[in-house]
Amino acid sequence: MDETLLKQLTHPPEPTLIPQPVTQSALPDQTFTLQSSATVGVVTPSEALDRIADQLVTQLRRSTGFALPVEPGTGTITLSADGPDSLGAEGYELRVESSTVTVTAATAEGLFRGVTTLRQLLPAKAEADTDQAGPWEIAGTEISDAPRYSYRGVMLDVSRHFFSVADVKRFIELASLYKLNRLHLHLSDDQGWRIQVDSWQELTKHGGSSEVGGGPAGHYTKADYAEIVMYAADHFMTVVPEIDTPGHTNAALSSYAELNADGEAPPLYTGTEVGFSSLTVAKDLTYEFLDDVFREVAEQTPGDVIHLGGDEAHVTPHSDYLTFVPKAAELVVKHGKRVMGWHEIADAELPAGSIVQYWGNDQAKDEELARKGVRQGAELVMSPANRAYLDMKYDEDSPYGLAWAGLISVEKAYSWDPATLIPDVPESAVIGVEAPLWTETLDDLAKVEFMTFPRLPGIAELGWSPASALDWETYKDRLAAQGSRWEALGVNFYRAPEIPWR
Ligand code: ACM
C-alpha cells in the first residue's frame, strides 16, 4: 500500500476543536497514545493546579480504567502554569508528541482552558462515565491559543422554572467544555424569587414558591448558592447574579405588600406575560429593599458584577425609569460591584464601569441604546435575541421554545460577528458575548439541553476564536464531531438536520 495512504488510514483523525484555536498545526509523524502506565505531572503544584489535574484524571480514570497517578513535576501529560505572562490570563500552549502531552499556561485559568482542549483532542468515548476500550490516540499537534473576548457567558433563567443545584452544576460542566467563563443566573422575575435574602425572608418563603405553570418551584439557600458559586469557580466560570428591576418584580411585590404603590400585595403569578409589574420608584422603602438585597447578593458574589435587569419595564413611567436606574445602580456600586443591565438601562445615567447587555433584534432603537451606553463609557456584551437567544425555536417543528425573535437555526446562531453587529460601535467597546436561555417553556434539564446544544458552542466560538477563524462551512463539520461527545456525556442535544452528524 502507498505509504501516504497507509499513514492516513492509521493516523487518528485531525482534531476538530470548538472553539477553533488561534493557531494549530499538525505534527504529522507523531501520534500520542495514552497508555495504562501514563502519569499526569503538575509542575509547581498548587491547590488550583491540583484541582485541575484531579478533574482531568477523575474523568479519564472512569472512561479508560487507567490509574493515572498525579505527581509533581513532569509526567506523560504535563500541566504547567509556569509559562510566560505573554500567554495572558486565559491563553495556553498545547503540544502533543509521540510520547508526551504538554499543556503550558501563565495562570491556573489558562491551564484549565488548555486542559479543556486536551479533553476535546481525546476520542469522544473519553467523556463516558464507564470503562471504554481504547486505543486513546491523539494526532500530533501544536496549539497556541487565547480568547478574543474576556466575557463569554451563558444565562440560565432559574426564575420562570426553578432548576436544582445538581441541574445548574451539570449546566456549568457542559458550558465550561466550550471555554465559557461567565454564568449569568436570572434569579428573580415575576414568576419566582430564587435567592435567599435573610433581611427579607418572604422573598423566598413566598416569592420562591411559584413558577410558570404552577410547578413545585423552589429557591437556593445561601449554602446552595455558595455550592453553585464554588462549582462554577472550579470550572473557571464566574457567576453573574441578576436581580431584575424595576419590572419583572411580581414575586417580590407579592411577598411584601409595602413595596407596592397601593400597599396591596398582588397574587403570585404563574403565567408567561411580561411587562406588568414595577417596583415603586417614589418609595424610599424600594431603595432600602434594594440596598439589602444587593448587599446580601454582593456578599455571596466573588465576581465583580451584579446585573440589575432593567428590561421591559413597560408599566414604569419612563421618567420614573430614568430616576430609578441611577439610584439602583448606585446601590450596586455601594456594595463594591460593577453594574450590568439589559440595554434599556443605557437611556439612564450609568456609573463608570457599567456593562450594557444588548439583546436587540436588529431594530434601530435598540442599537441606538447600545451606542448611547458606549458613549457613556459602558462596555457591551452582545446577546442579540434573534441570534444568541437559546430559547428561540430552531424551526417550526421545535417542540418547545418561543419564536418572538424569530426561528434560530444553528447556522443563524453562529453566523454573525460581535464586533460589527451594531453599526458605529468601536470594536474596543465590545467585551464579549452571552447566550441567554429563558425558561418559560423549559421545565426540566433535558429540555434545557435540547435548546442549548448544538447552538451554545457556536456562541462560545464567537466569543473565543479570532474573527478570521469564523466560517460556517468548516464550523458545521467540527460541530458534527461534537455529537459523539454529547452521546458519551448523555446530553439530550437536538440533531439539527443542517449538521452532517456522523
Ligand atoms: C429580555 O429578553 N427581556 C432581556
Side-chain angles (χ1 to χ4, degrees):
M1 192 183 284
D2 172 297
E3 180 121 350
T4 330
L5 182 60
L6 184 65
K7 197 174 275 172
Q8 276 173 7
L9 290 174
T10 54
H11 202 252
E14 288 306 319
T16 51
L17 296 169
I18 296 177
Q20 177 73 30
V22 175
T23 66
Q24 175 176 15
S25 40
L27 301 176
D29 296 326
Q30 314 212 28
T31 297
F32 173 82
T33 306
L34 188 72
Q35 312 272 8
S36 61
S37 58
T39 61
V40 174
V42 178
V43 176
T44 322
S46 67
E47 206 184 306
L49 265 54
D50 291 347
R51 194 160 43 238
I52 293 168
D54 191 58
Q55 286 170 344
L56 175 66
V57 298
T58 298
Q59 176 51 39
L60 294 183
R61 283 170 186 157
R62 272 186 212 129
S63 53
T64 65
F66 299 163
L68 301 174
V70 177
E71 298 167 351
T74 57
T76 314
I77 297 173
T78 299
L79 307 180
S80 167
D82 292 348
D85 289 347
S86 56
L87 291 171
E90 292 188 275
Y92 67 91
E93 286 174 349
L94 193 159
R95 199 174 159 87
V96 177
E97 299 173 76
S98 303
S99 52
T100 59
V101 173
T102 313
V103 190
T104 308
T107 66
E109 185 173 10
L111 186 66
F112 181 83
R113 305 295 171 222
V115 168
T116 301
T117 300
L118 173 57
R119 280 177 66 170
Q120 275 195 21
L121 290 172
L122 282 158
K125 60 194 172 185
E127 299 295 347
D129 60 6
T130 54
D131 218 351
Q132 308 290 311
W136 304 99
E137 293 184 343
I138 307 177
T141 189
E142 193 171 26
I143 293 170
S144 176
D145 203 10
R148 180 181 184 190
Y149 292 115
S150 61
Y151 189 115
R152 306 180 307 279
V154 62
M155 189 203 83
L156 183 63
D157 169 10
V158 294
S159 181
R160 271 50 176 275
H161 282 101
F162 180 66
F163 291 87
S164 69
V165 173
D167 287 347
V168 177
K169 285 181 166 180
R170 160 89 167 175
F171 195 68
I172 288 168
E173 284 167 21
L174 296 176
S176 75
L177 292 176
Y178 296 94
K179 300 187 170 68
L180 294 174
N181 65 0
R182 295 288 187 282
L183 174 69
H184 171 179
L185 288 176
H186 184 76
L187 292 165
S188 70
D189 211 303
D190 292 321
Q191 294 86 351
W193 185 285
R194 306 301 177 207
I195 186 167
Q196 182 185 334
V197 178
D198 291 333
S199 49
W200 296 74
Q201 296 193 12
E202 290 303 314
L203 289 172
T204 47
K205 281 191 186 150
H206 175 76
S209 68
S210 57
E211 63 177 5
V212 167
H219 71 273
Y220 306 120
T221 63
K222 287 201 166 168
D224 289 339
Y225 194 74
E227 193 176 333
I228 291 171
V229 167
M230 174 116 48
Y231 199 77
D234 283 349
H235 293 75
F236 292 86
M237 291 183 81
T238 303
V239 175
V240 176
E242 180 185 352
I243 303 298
D244 206 346
T245 66
H248 291 276
T249 42
N250 187 76
L253 295 167
S254 179
S255 302
Y256 288 95
E258 58 269 39
L259 288 175
N260 295 271
D262 61 4
E264 284 189 30
L268 290 169
Y269 181 68
T270 59
T272 59
E273 294 301 312
V274 297
F276 62 87
S277 58
S278 180
L279 292 172
T280 311
V281 172
K283 275 198 175 188
D284 290 343
L285 186 68
T286 295
Y287 307 97
E288 289 165 30
F289 164 73
L290 289 178
D291 193 5
D292 288 334
V293 169
F294 290 147
R295 183 186 71 253
E296 291 197 36
V297 171
E299 283 165 3
Q300 301 176 78
T301 302
D304 64 350
V305 173
I306 288 182
H307 198 301
L308 52 69
D311 57 321
E312 297 177 309
H314 300 324
V315 296
T316 314
H318 197 59
S319 60
D320 276 5
Y321 182 85
L322 297 180
T323 303
F324 173 84
V325 170
K327 291 182 77 166
E330 189 183 308
L331 294 171
V332 168
V333 171
K334 172 181 167 187
H335 296 298
K337 302 299 180 186
R338 299 175 67 182
V339 170
M340 185 162 174
W342 301 105
H343 66 233
E344 288 97 320
I345 67 165
D347 216 14
E349 197 177 316
L350 298 176
S354 295
I355 300 170
V356 167
Q357 184 168 14
Y358 172 76
W359 64 283
N361 199 356
D362 292 339
Q363 293 193 12
K365 69 173 182 13
D366 299 327
E367 296 178 347
E368 181 47 29
L369 282 170
R371 281 190 292 267
K372 189 166 179 181
V374 171
R375 284 198 297 275
Q376 295 193 54
E379 297 181 314
L380 281 184
V381 167
M382 301 297 293
S383 301
N386 55 345
R387 293 174 172 85
Y389 269 33
L390 297 171
D391 58 309
M392 292 301 121
K393 290 173 181 277
Y394 292 92
D395 56 40
E396 266 139 28
D397 298 330
S398 294
Y400 17 76
L402 303 174
W404 61 262
L407 302 171
I408 305 182
S409 66
V410 182
E411 180 174 4
K412 180 152 195 203
Y414 177 78
S415 304
W416 57 285
D417 185 337
T420 58
L421 187 75
I422 303 179
D424 303 321
V425 164
E427 171 145 23
S428 60
V430 177
I431 58 166
V433 293
E434 182 180 294
L437 181 64
W438 303 98
T439 59
E440 286 94 332
T441 66
L442 311 172
D443 59 2
D444 66 31
L445 194 64
K447 293 173 187 166
V448 163
E449 290 181 1
F450 186 86
M451 300 308 280
T452 303
F453 294 95
R455 286 182 294 198
L456 183 62
I459 304 297
E461 176 151 306
L462 296 183
W464 181 282
S465 304
S468 59
L470 306 177
D471 173 58
W472 167 249
E473 288 306 321
T474 56
Y475 174 74
K476 76 176 181 206
D477 209 46
R478 285 182 286 121
L479 188 59
Q482 299 297 306
S484 53
R485 314 196 83 79
W486 298 333
E487 278 164 10
L489 287 160
V491 177
N492 180 41
F493 67 101
Y494 172 52
R495 286 172 175 74
E498 66 202 293
I499 306 303
W501 305 109
R502 22 200 196 260

